Amino acid sequence: MSHLLPLSRVAKLVGQPRHTLQEMIRSGALATFDGMVEFGELQRAFPGVRWDDDAEFRRVTEIKDKAFARRVRERALPDKDVLVARLNELGDDYAAAKALLLHYGNVMIWLDEKIDEIEENASAETHHALHTLRAFLLRNLAETPPDAVLAQAVIAQERIRKLMSAHVTIQPSGHEFFVDGNDTLLEAALRNGVSLSYGCSNGNCGDCKARVVSGEVKKVHAHDYVLKQAEKDAGVILLCAYAPVNDVVIEANVAEARDIPLQQITAKVKSVEVFNPQMAALHILAPRSQRLRYLGGQSIRVGVGGVSGRYAIASCPCDDRHIEVQVPRRPGDAFAEALFSKLKANDTVEMEGPFGEFVLDEDSPRPVIFLAFGAGFAPVKSLIQHAMSLELAESMDLHWLADDAGHYQDNLCRAWADALDNFNYVPHPQGDDPDRVLDAIVLDYPDLHRFDVYAAGSVAQLEQARAKFVRHGLPEARWFGGSTDSD
């Protein structure tokens, strides 16, 4: 009886990112069956992993969480009803395995009796063969298999992870994520950067309706929206009110940039972070009942006291209610002056958005080059964090060409590079000739046809860069440019 594991759960068990496992699959170093990894293959491919110690995985996860600026979540247990259902399922698995072992034990008793029966009238040659067979069976049954301890550790850890979290696959997009603690399906999806369609997020509107294709879910929050009986019979649920009991497949819509409606939200200033006299970040906390829906790379208009400005969002959609915009200090920008001089924590601001379609191509598994000109780092930062949360790209390279504000979040970029083995950061100082810098960058990628390129800067900077990249082999369709001129 094969023990099959989804690739996302294997990544958790062995402490390796999905892109590493996918590369192993492509190279033939790891075999899969319908996208699943067989237990024996897992042991063969990772013989040196200490299954009882996931300290390295936790270390990288902690660094990633810090680098993403995600809120720190307590490691809460699942909802009590969900936990009971998962324990019951685990008990059923144990009972099935125990019954199978008892059956195997009975088979061995029957086999022993059958050997005795045959031996009664057997020839000397047959008697010797049966004696050899019996000795072989007894010896092997008495011996502990060399990988038994390893197998026990792997299965124990995998069972605990299934008890504490559930794996979710979204159809038809193919997105995958885990639901940890007492999160609902919607909360977990948003926390992992998957932009599922939703409205109120508290069970009133019905916009987060989805169909359960396989697996079991449990209602953990009451909702006022009334589902029709036909919808219930078809397995339709509200994602904001249900949590998975086991691994589930859900049929739901993942929003694209043009699908997200324009929103107007009154929010509070969480903090103002001044990097230097030329650049500051405004950290905003959206209300629990009215979170901002957006995708990495988009922008919003922020206003206070009659002045406003449109700026790129620098945070990840996975950051829950926290929204960061980075504001350059430019002549004539009244909102920027208000931010640098008088805005403070708990002040009220008005948000409108999101705007723009400078977003990730979530269907692309290709390696990515991110190119940020000055303040263009803000939308690029959002895209990078979104790509990290979705584990999309095979590799990510960030080239940041500084302006007067410098590399104002250089430490953050270096933290990404330290924490992630598929991330490379190359800062380019202010004063370097942009034309020569771009020439040097494209020459570093002789296989540009394999890449996607996301660039943010002025219209002139983007056109200069686009021309060089396309001339050196980048397909036009794989160039994504986001202008900061209107922000």
Side-chain angles (χ1 to χ4, degrees):
M1 183 171 60
S2 296
H3 193 82
L4 297 173
L5 302 171
L7 198 60
S8 295
R9 198 174 292 282
V10 171
K12 292 273 190 181
L13 283 170
V14 301
Q16 296 289 336
R18 277 176 56 90
H19 72 83
T20 299
L21 301 181
Q22 288 163 342
E23 180 59 36
M24 291 178 67
I25 293 168
R26 282 194 293 270
S27 67
L30 180 66
T32 59
F33 177 77
D34 286 344
M36 307 281 275
V37 179
E38 200 271 327
F39 173 70
E41 175 65 8
L42 179 62
Q43 291 178 284
R44 184 201 63 75
F46 298 95
V49 172
R50 293 180 57 191
W51 302 99
D52 59 341
D53 181 10
D54 62 352
E56 181 64 16
F57 174 76
R58 285 186 281 106
R59 183 189 73 82
V60 173
T61 300
E62 287 168 4
I63 294 174
K64 285 170 65 176
D65 283 348
K66 184 177 180 181
F68 291 0
R70 286 180 178 175
R71 69 180 179 89
V72 177
R73 308 194 305 274
E74 62 181 49
R75 300 295 180 182
L77 287 170
D79 174 87
K80 63 181 186 302
D81 291 334
V82 171
L83 186 58
V84 167
R86 288 180 185 170
L87 285 169
N88 285 336
E89 184 180 44
L90 193 61
D92 291 342
D93 287 349
Y94 173 79
K98 186 73 172 178
L100 197 58
L101 284 173
L102 289 173
H103 173 67
Y104 289 159
N106 287 331
V107 169
M108 291 309 302
I109 293 172
W110 299 333
L111 182 60
D112 192 55
E113 292 173 349
K114 191 66 175 177
I115 290 174
D116 287 339
E117 181 183 326
I118 295 173
E119 275 187 322
E120 289 182 3
N121 300 309
S123 64
E125 185 179 354
T126 302
H127 181 81
H128 176 71
L130 291 172
H131 176 76
T132 302
L133 176 60
R134 191 197 299 271
F136 171 80
L137 290 172
L138 290 173
R139 183 174 65 253
N140 280 275
L141 287 172
E143 289 179 357
T144 300
D147 60 351
V149 175
L150 174 62
Q152 182 178 345
V154 178
I155 293 175
Q157 188 171 2
E158 195 264 341
R159 293 291 92 179
I160 289 172
R161 289 192 180 278
K162 287 198 76 170
L163 187 65
M164 299 301 294
S165 64
H167 178 255
V168 180
T169 303
I170 301 296
Q171 290 184 346
S173 69
H175 286 86
E176 296 178 85
F177 59 91
F178 284 91
V179 179
D180 296 310
N182 56 12
D183 280 353
T184 63
L185 284 157
L186 178 62
E187 289 168 336
L190 298 178
R191 206 183 308 289
N192 283 276
V194 181
S195 184
L196 294 177
S197 297
Y198 75 98
C200 64
S201 77
N202 56 19
N204 290 322
C205 68
D207 288 354
C208 66
K209 283 192 293 188
R211 186 175 73 87
V212 179
V213 177
S214 65
E216 183 183 352
V217 298
K218 199 157 191 69
K219 188 175 181 179
V220 293
H221 295 311
H223 58 82
D224 293 333
Y225 184 85
V226 179
L227 291 166
K228 298 175 182 177
Q229 189 56 49
E231 291 176 320
K232 294 179 182 179
D233 294 342
V236 174
I237 61 168
L238 296 187
L239 296 172
C240 67
Y242 282 77
V245 170
N246 47 27
D247 294 352
V248 297
V249 176
I250 303 291
E251 187 178 77
N253 292 324
V254 177
E256 297 180 357
R258 63 192 64 184
D259 299 326
I260 300 177
L262 198 67
Q263 302 148 71
Q264 295 178 329
I265 299 174
T266 301
K268 293 287 187 181
V269 174
K270 186 177 180 181
S271 65
V272 175
E273 181 181 11
V274 178
F275 298 118
N276 56 49
Q278 304 300 322
M279 180 66 67
L282 175 62
H283 298 275
I284 304 169
L285 190 65
R288 290 185 183 277
S289 60
Q290 201 178 8
R291 305 178 188 189
L292 180 70
R293 290 183 61 195
Y294 67 96
L295 297 176
Q298 292 189 294
S299 62
I300 56 171
R301 179 167 294 279
V302 189
V304 63
V307 296
S308 67
R310 180 173 157 182
Y311 308 100
I313 301 173
S315 48
C316 176
C318 61
D319 274 344
D320 197 25
R321 297 157 54 210
H322 172 241
I323 300 130
E324 176 190 349
V325 292
Q326 295 184 350
V327 181
R329 197 169 199 170
R330 293 170 178 162
D333 188 337
F335 181 85
E337 288 306 314
L339 173 66
F340 275 88
S341 62
K342 60 184 180 182
L343 262 185
K344 60 186 184 301
N346 294 319
D347 283 352
T348 298
V349 293
E350 302 295 330
M351 294 189 298
E352 183 183 32
F355 302 102
E357 296 186 17
F358 180 52
V359 298
L360 290 173
D361 176 5
E362 295 186 18
D363 294 328
S364 171
R366 289 181 287 272
V368 177
I369 299 169
F370 291 101
L371 191 63
F373 292 92
F377 174 71
V380 165
K381 175 187 174 184
S382 181
L383 287 174
I384 290 172
Q385 293 177 123
H386 199 183
M388 287 176 178
S389 69
L390 293 170
E391 296 190 47
L392 283 179
E394 176 183 317
S395 65
M396 293 179 283
D397 290 358
L398 167 61
H399 292 269
W400 188 0
L401 287 70
D403 59 10
D404 291 346
H407 299 109
Y408 51 88
Q409 287 201 295
D410 187 68
N411 287 341
L412 172 64
C413 298
R414 295 188 186 280
W416 287 338
D418 289 342
L420 305 169
D421 60 3
N422 69 328
F423 184 86
N424 184 42
Y425 168 52
V426 184
H428 301 277
Q430 181 193 15
D432 287 357
D433 179 15
D435 199 59
R436 284 205 299 268
V437 170
L438 290 171
D439 283 337
I441 291 174
V442 295
L443 288 176
D444 280 341
Y445 300 93
D447 53 350
L448 267 177
H449 62 279
R450 294 181 53 246
F451 286 80
D452 291 336
V453 177
Y454 293 84
S458 69
V459 170
Q461 289 169 331
L462 292 177
E463 180 51 36
Q464 180 187 21
R466 186 201 62 79
K468 288 184 181 294
F469 275 84
V470 171
R471 192 181 310 127
H472 283 80
L474 178 76
E476 284 268 11
R478 295 184 188 169
W479 168 268
F480 303 89
S483 171
T484 56
D485 286 347
S486 60
D487 290 341

